[in-house]
Amino acid sequence: MNPKNQKPEPLACDPMSLIAIKDTLQLLSGKWKIQIAGLLFRSGRMRFMDLQRAIDGIGVKMLSRELQELEENKIVSRTVMDTKPVTVEYELTAHGRTLEGVIVAISDWGVTHRNHLFKQPSV
Amino acid sequence: MNPKNQKPEPLACDPMSLIAIKDTLQLLSGKWKIQIAGLLFRSGRMRFMDLQRAIDGIGVKMLSRELQELEENKIVSRTVMDTKPVTVEYELTAHGRTLEGVIVAISDWGVTHRNHLFKQPSV
DNA sequence: GAAACTAGTTTCCTGAATGAAAGTACCTGA
DNA sequence: TCAGGTACTTTCATTCAGGAAACTAGTTTC
């Protein structure tokens, strides 16, 4: 009945913190969400096109989609401005701003350990 | 010559911190690396099968591959023990332990904001 | 009326990520 | 010698993330 290969029961020790990590990662999944949040954290409100210009390599589709998901999860708020032509501004919600610790930790680690990254490149 | 759709030049303001975020995320990319690092951070040395048992849902292939990538990037060390049958132990390197801030920030945020997660579920 | 700006959505496509299962290899105890 | 444990690797299949380009839609400027 048991297949030959390993299919272990999870250990009783599945610590809360592992589940918490999983939750957070799921919320911030994808290539761009943390970058978007980090940018909004530093820059405050930003418009759609400015976000695209600031985030190297992102296309409109992914930006649109990631913003939608962040909005659904109350990380980012979306405000349609009464301008001609309409512009839309995005910013972190109060809840989104609680990600400060995560954003700063990730950013700081990247800065500090740049030399060590990716098998210690010749940079 | 310019296609009709938007393909903006990146803004001059492409802050160091955004690049740093990108770097860190690339290093920790994939579904499992941060979970693995978080587990090793809490538990110290662990063997292959114990890691699999502790991480809900991971299969042998992914565990093997993620560990290899973490090892290549000097986050995790791999030690073959002189036992019968051979066992292999993994632990964070000194460099891997500098991820503490990242791991703790992500874990803490998940714990604190569990109620807010995923559109404020009925949990 | 054509071009260009705003902010998207939709369609189509590709490559990467992931997973299940089987195979490799070695050793131990019944 | 056969089941079962260790630790993987390989193969095959599938799903999904991501990207390019076209398209919608309203407004403004030339």
Side-chain angles (χ1 to χ4, degrees):
Chain A
M1 188 169 290
N2 257 357
K4 196 171 293 179
N5 78 345
Q6 316 89 331
K7 177 72 69 69
E9 296 297 306
L11 288 183
C13 157
D14 195 346
M16 196 56 198
S17 59
L18 265 208
I19 297 176
I21 289 175
K22 208 171 182 177
D23 286 347
T24 307
L25 293 182
Q26 186 174 338
L27 199 88
L28 298 174
S29 66
K31 202 169 167 180
W32 306 108
K33 292 199 190 71
I34 301 182
Q35 283 185 77
I36 293 171
L39 183 56
L40 290 175
F41 183 76
R42 291 174 34 96
S43 304
R45 317 192 114 206
M46 289 185 76
R47 294 191 303 157
F48 187 86
M49 291 306 290
D50 290 333
L51 282 164
Q52 200 201 352
R53 279 184 270 263
I55 300 173
D56 184 33
I58 197 170
V60 280
K61 192 190 73 171
M62 289 314 298
L63 180 56
S64 172
R65 189 146 84 195
E66 301 278 55
L67 284 169
Q68 274 173 33
E69 290 179 29
L70 288 170
E71 199 194 347
E72 283 172 11
N73 285 301
K74 318 290 184 193
I75 304 293
V76 157
S77 68
R78 177 181 185 275
T79 311
V80 179
M81 306 302 287
D82 189 16
T83 54
K84 306 281 176 77
V86 298
T87 54
V88 181
E89 294 189 346
Y90 295 89
E91 65 182 332
L92 290 181
T93 61
H95 183 225
R97 269 175 261 121
T98 65
L99 283 168
E100 172 172 10
V102 173
I103 294 165
V104 169
I106 291 174
S107 175
D108 281 0
W109 195 88
V111 169
T112 306
H113 296 277
R114 186 155 234 289
N115 302 349
H116 228 293
L117 289 172
F118 316 131
K119 304 163 201 175
Q120 313 177 51
S122 50
V123 183
Chain B
M1 188 168 289
N2 257 355
K4 197 172 292 178
N5 78 344
Q6 315 90 331
K7 178 73 67 72
E9 296 297 307
L11 288 183
C13 157
D14 196 347
M16 196 58 196
S17 60
L18 266 208
I19 297 176
I21 288 175
K22 210 171 181 176
D23 288 347
T24 306
L25 293 183
Q26 187 175 339
L27 198 89
L28 299 174
S29 66
K31 202 169 166 181
W32 306 107
K33 291 200 190 70
I34 300 182
Q35 283 185 76
I36 293 170
L39 184 56
L40 289 175
F41 183 77
R42 291 174 35 96
S43 304
R45 318 191 114 206
M46 289 186 78
R47 295 190 304 158
F48 188 84
M49 290 306 289
D50 291 333
L51 283 165
Q52 201 201 351
R53 279 185 269 263
I55 300 173
D56 184 32
I58 197 170
V60 281
K61 192 189 73 170
M62 289 314 298
L63 179 56
S64 172
R65 193 192 295 181
E66 300 278 56
L67 283 169
Q68 273 173 34
E69 290 180 28
L70 288 170
E71 200 193 347
E72 283 172 12
N73 285 303
K74 318 290 184 192
I75 304 294
V76 157
S77 69
R78 176 179 185 276
T79 312
V80 179
M81 306 303 286
D82 190 15
T83 54
K84 306 283 179 69
V86 298
T87 53
V88 181
E89 293 189 347
Y90 295 90
E91 65 182 328
L92 291 180
T93 61
H95 183 225
R97 268 175 263 121
T98 65
L99 282 168
E100 173 173 8
V102 174
I103 293 166
V104 169
I106 290 175
S107 175
D108 282 359
W109 194 87
V111 170
T112 306
H113 294 278
R114 185 155 235 289
N115 302 350
H116 227 292
L117 288 172
F118 315 131
K119 305 163 200 174
Q120 314 177 52
S122 49
V123 182

